[in-house]
Amino acid sequence: MKTLTLLRHAKSGWDDLVARDFDRPLNPKGQRAAAMMGRHLRSLKLHFGHAVASPALRVMETLDHVGRGYGSALAPAWDQRLYLASAATLLDVIHDLPADADEVLLAGHNPGLEELILQLVPEGSALRDEVAIKFPTASLAQLHFAGEWADVRRGSAELAFFVRPRDLDPTLGPDTP
């Protein structure tokens, strides 16, 4: 069995004047949410044999804060293909994952992550329905697959969990600063 944990970057700062979207940093709420998600990963006793992430600044900062909450740096492979990737590109990245990596963390962006989950998880689960409403910033979803990474196809995943920052701390919801 293969386990893929998806992490959307935390809330970034639109107020920062940066020349490129790629360089947008996290805002303070995003920093808090990322650290909380790291603590949640630690509480679940999750370990990752491999991590891959978009090299955008907001993803890098998310993983830094997640690592602080988790208690260990995550040290991902930075993959340019993940920057604002479509679900199809994300699936290509999954197919390229090392065969010996059974537990993988993939960190990136929406709408690709949300679309990927909706393609890989068959309809009919309440968790999938929640993802279909929205996969907010700093959210985590864990998918389980039978077989190898190269075998991952539409409808082949089980959605083990989906957790948003506001599920752990209501002050991290959409209507709070």
Side-chain angles (χ1 to χ4, degrees):
M1 172 164 312
K2 300 291 187 184
T3 300
L4 179 66
T5 302
L6 301 173
L7 170 66
R8 182 177 175 200
H9 68 79
K11 191 148 188 69
S12 57
W14 285 94
D15 295 337
D16 292 307
L17 298 176
V18 294
R20 304 180 312 160
D21 172 74
F22 188 86
D23 298 322
R24 274 192 298 117
L26 296 184
N27 68 21
K29 182 177 177 181
Q31 294 169 2
R32 288 192 325 269
M36 167 146 317
M37 297 315 267
R39 290 189 297 275
H40 185 65
L41 287 172
R42 182 179 62 216
S43 76
L44 295 173
K45 296 182 173 43
L46 296 182
H47 300 282
F48 306 104
H50 185 72
V52 60
S54 162
L57 180 61
R58 59 192 177 274
V59 177
M60 295 174 82
E61 289 184 356
T62 296
L63 289 177
D64 180 53
H65 287 280
V66 167
R68 290 179 198 180
Y70 183 66
S72 175
L74 297 170
W78 303 106
D79 190 329
Q80 184 66 37
R81 294 178 297 170
L82 293 178
Y83 176 62
L84 303 179
S86 67
T89 299
L90 292 169
L91 190 56
D92 289 342
V93 171
I94 292 167
H95 289 156
D96 291 344
L97 289 171
D100 62 346
D102 292 329
E103 297 167 332
V104 173
L105 175 68
L106 188 151
H109 310 266
N110 252 7
L113 290 174
E114 181 177 314
E115 292 169 358
L116 179 72
I117 295 165
L118 297 178
Q119 287 180 15
L120 296 180
V121 177
E123 291 185 27
S125 83
L127 279 180
R128 184 189 185 280
D129 292 345
E130 286 295 313
V131 171
I133 293 169
K134 187 172 184 183
F135 191 66
T137 54
S139 290
L140 289 165
Q142 188 174 82
L143 306 176
H144 293 166
F145 303 94
E148 300 301 321
W149 295 119
D151 301 328
V152 172
R153 299 283 180 266
R154 180 180 291 274
S156 67
E158 172 195 339
L159 183 56
F161 69 76
F162 167 50
V163 63
R164 301 162 291 208
R166 70 175 179 237
D167 297 332
L168 304 174
D169 180 349
T171 68
L172 294 171
D175 298 323
T176 60

